Amino acid sequence: MGNMKLTLKIWRQNGPKAKGELNTYPVNDVSEDMSFLEMLDVLNDDLVRKGEEPIAFDHDCREGICGSCSLFINGEAHGPGRMITTCQLHMRKFKDGDTIHVEPWRAEAFPVIKDLAVDRGAFDRIQAAGGFVSVNTSGNLVDGNAVPIPKADADTAFDAATCIGCGACVATCTNSSAMLFVAAKVSQFALLPQGKPEAKRRVLAMVEQMDKEGFGNCSNTGACEVECPKGISLEHIARMNREYLAASVTKE
Amino acid sequence: MALTGLFLCIFLIAHLAGNLQLLDMSPGGQLKFNAYAKFMTTFPLVKAVSYLLYASILFHAFDGLLLAMQNRKARPIKYAYEKANASSKWFSRQMALLGTLVLVFIVIHMKQFWYEMHWGPLGMDADGNKDLYTLVAFSFTQLWYVVLYVIMMGVLAFHLMHGFASAFQSLGLNHPRYMPIIKNVGVFFAVIVPIFFALIPVWMFINA
């Protein structure tokens, strides 16, 4: 098992208002079987032992499902490799002697909290604006499976629902647009009968909140689709555009 | 952006179809082109559409500028290291720059021919129509004009290469079955139309 020596250039920033900069850290003894986050753990362990401030970065489940881990690694959201989050990125993707740039997601709507950790609360506020169905839970709840739904619709809705809200779409978009995220959240309901009653209100409210948060506009470069760890398709953005246009024209 | 963009695409077809008459450089072709130019500047329906066209160009330009400024504001701190080409094409990210160049070209182009046709001192041809043909033919004896037109058609090609299919996506017209067709038609349109436009000055320069 070959151990690698790497040079990391990592964004350090003390707080939201502080001025940040790229600092250089050499890391030795990196196993190719480590995940990128485990490699950062090793570096942080080293920094703590030396009495230095460890690098702040977001992580939680470390199995590619929570959407916590972010990181813009070597110029790409979640680093090289497709359909993966940073915790699923292994060090075997890099070579001994490599220099790796690590930066936080860059967007006005995702302010840096500290170092590599950014505040993705904007996504929560977009969800709160309409990313739900209002179900009566007072005892006369209809079983979801009792409502017939075409298989193709159910599958497409589920494809949209796999969005983990990590923000890679925003990070990789040249315009810092959140359209793929919002489109996934709109689509997962728009396709299902349970989502229909609130469909118009939902898409209008979520898009309004998205614009309020300061995300950029979608210019259809398609970068989000490529970098999305869950492979959310641009077709969902088109669906949201259809929903939005129809809702704008027919709203009371 | 999408609606005005697609309208401008339709205009390009009409504009190209009319101007391909310039390839006929015989005296008869000159008279035919001048008669066509008179029709295009005086027939009421064409005039009405032309005002819609001017409005579309202005709206497309100003809306594009506004969106580009919002997009710039959405990322105040740029990445120090970015591999943007790994996930998208350069021309899809540079639509504002390409569009600005096309707009500059439109201004030059309209001053050169449109303005002269309407208010410039043009001579008359044998049929008594304004002799726009001679102005065009003279302009394209100058090499730098020809080079400018050819380069600008290249810029237009890249703008259309992304713009055509992008307009459909923005309007929500994306379907697994039809999107590949739309994309292919877009690329075909983006290549063929500028090539034929560029052919006109090159042809007139060579045959002058």
Side-chain angles (χ1 to χ4, degrees):
Chain A
M1 194 172 69
N3 279 4
M4 299 186 281
K5 282 190 203 317
L6 300 168
T7 307
L8 296 174
K9 289 188 182 294
I10 298 180
W11 183 262
R12 300 305 305 265
Q13 182 175 337
N14 260 327
K17 295 261 151 53
K19 207 175 127 49
E21 58 177 357
L22 280 173
N23 280 3
T24 306
Y25 301 91
V27 208
N28 303 325
D29 286 336
V30 175
S31 154
E32 59 179 19
D33 295 328
M34 286 175 178
S35 76
F36 199 86
L37 297 184
E38 286 165 337
M39 183 275 297
L40 287 179
D41 291 338
V42 170
L43 171 60
N44 268 348
D45 191 51
D46 194 39
L47 290 177
V48 171
R49 277 169 209 277
K50 284 195 279 192
E52 291 177 36
E53 182 77 8
I55 299 153
F57 62 93
D58 282 318
H59 59 98
D60 191 15
C61 77
R62 299 209 177 196
E63 54 185 11
I65 197 61
C66 74
S68 288
C69 56
S70 51
L71 306 187
F72 207 73
I73 301 162
N74 264 358
E76 288 182 78
H78 295 136
R82 297 288 170 252
M83 304 274 289
I84 52 165
T85 54
T86 301
C87 60
Q88 294 169 305
L89 172 66
H90 288 88
M91 296 314 293
R92 67 181 77 99
K93 282 271 183 189
F94 301 92
K95 288 196 302 288
D96 188 36
D98 274 0
T99 298
I100 306 173
H101 286 77
V102 190
E103 295 173 79
W105 287 168
R106 293 290 188 202
E108 173 73 5
F110 286 167
V112 169
I113 300 167
K114 187 175 163 63
D115 299 334
L116 301 170
V118 297
D119 180 1
R120 283 168 281 188
F123 273 10
D124 298 337
R125 290 186 290 275
I126 293 172
Q127 277 288 66
F132 51 80
V133 282
S134 306
V135 177
N136 187 346
T137 54
S138 60
N140 49 2
L141 184 61
V142 178
D143 182 74
N145 293 323
V147 184
I149 299 165
K151 172 89 167 93
D153 288 356
D155 285 351
T156 313
F158 201 81
D159 284 346
T162 55
C163 169
I164 51 175
C166 64
C169 44
V170 174
T172 200
C173 175
T174 185
N175 309 324
S176 294
S177 168
M179 285 284 274
L180 195 69
F181 165 77
V182 183
K185 300 304 175 193
V186 165
S187 279
Q188 80 179 61
F189 296 121
L191 288 156
L192 301 176
Q194 291 89 342
K196 288 278 192 285
E198 294 163 298
K200 270 193 216 174
R201 197 195 60 78
R202 174 183 307 112
V203 68
L204 292 173
M206 289 180 80
V207 169
E208 189 191 344
Q209 187 64 34
M210 169 180 80
D211 290 339
K212 233 186 258 172
E213 297 290 348
F215 291 105
N217 306 292
C218 178
S219 58
N220 305 324
T221 68
C224 51
E225 177 183 56
V226 175
E227 292 291 351
C228 174
K230 299 298 160 188
I232 308 283
S233 154
L234 287 185
E235 282 164 38
H236 296 296
I237 294 184
R239 180 175 299 99
M240 175 166 73
N241 289 344
R242 288 198 293 277
E243 292 269 320
Y244 184 82
L245 285 171
S248 305
V249 172
T250 59
K251 71 178 173 190
E252 273 102 46
Chain B
M1 294 306 287
L3 289 175
T4 48
L6 287 177
F7 178 64
L8 294 176
C9 283
I10 294 170
F11 157 72
L12 284 180
I13 298 173
H15 191 47
L16 178 62
N19 286 5
L20 281 177
Q21 296 178 68
L22 285 165
L23 295 178
D24 179 4
M25 294 180 71
S26 67
Q30 173 183 4
L31 293 177
K32 249 172 37 194
F33 179 78
N34 286 338
Y36 166 74
K38 184 184 177 188
F39 170 76
M40 291 305 278
T41 45
T42 51
F43 190 66
L45 185 66
V46 178
K47 273 179 95 169
V49 175
S50 72
Y51 290 121
L52 183 64
L53 175 66
Y54 306 146
S56 294
I57 294 172
L58 289 176
F59 182 87
H60 196 77
F62 280 113
D63 195 31
L65 187 72
L66 180 73
L67 294 172
M69 287 191 322
Q70 286 173 349
N71 292 343
R72 200 166 269 259
K73 232 179 81 190
R75 178 164 296 157
I77 304 171
K78 303 266 174 277
Y79 290 108
Y81 184 86
E82 193 175 6
K83 258 190 213 155
N85 287 329
S87 51
S88 63
K89 297 275 197 299
W90 69 268
F91 50 83
S92 74
R93 298 189 304 272
Q94 300 298 345
M95 288 299 275
L97 175 68
L98 293 168
T100 306
L101 289 173
V102 172
L103 182 65
V104 169
F105 170 74
I106 290 173
V107 171
I108 296 171
H109 180 58
M110 285 181 79
K111 164 66 187 75
Q112 196 182 0
F113 300 131
W114 176 83
Y115 176 84
E116 295 297 330
M117 180 68 194
H118 283 84
W119 300 285
L122 279 184
M124 295 290 170
D125 67 9
D127 286 349
N129 291 322
K130 283 188 181 179
D131 193 5
L132 182 65
Y133 176 89
T134 302
L135 174 65
V136 177
F138 172 72
S139 299
F140 293 144
T141 57
Q142 292 158 284
L143 181 63
W144 77 272
Y145 258 139
V146 178
V147 170
L148 175 79
Y149 270 64
V150 170
I151 290 173
M152 283 308 186
M153 286 308 103
V155 171
L156 178 65
F158 281 112
H159 195 70
L160 293 172
M161 194 91 75
H162 176 71
F164 188 90
S166 175
F168 285 85
Q169 167 77 6
S170 290
L171 293 171
L173 301 172
N174 179 331
H175 186 280
R177 197 157 6 124
Y178 303 116
M179 207 55 194
I181 302 172
I182 293 170
K183 280 187 177 164
N184 287 333
V185 170
V187 172
F188 180 76
F189 184 83
V191 172
I192 291 296
V193 170
I195 282 183
F196 272 104
F197 268 122
L199 180 68
I200 298 169
V202 171
W203 178 265
M204 295 185 91
F205 181 76
I206 294 170
N207 291 302

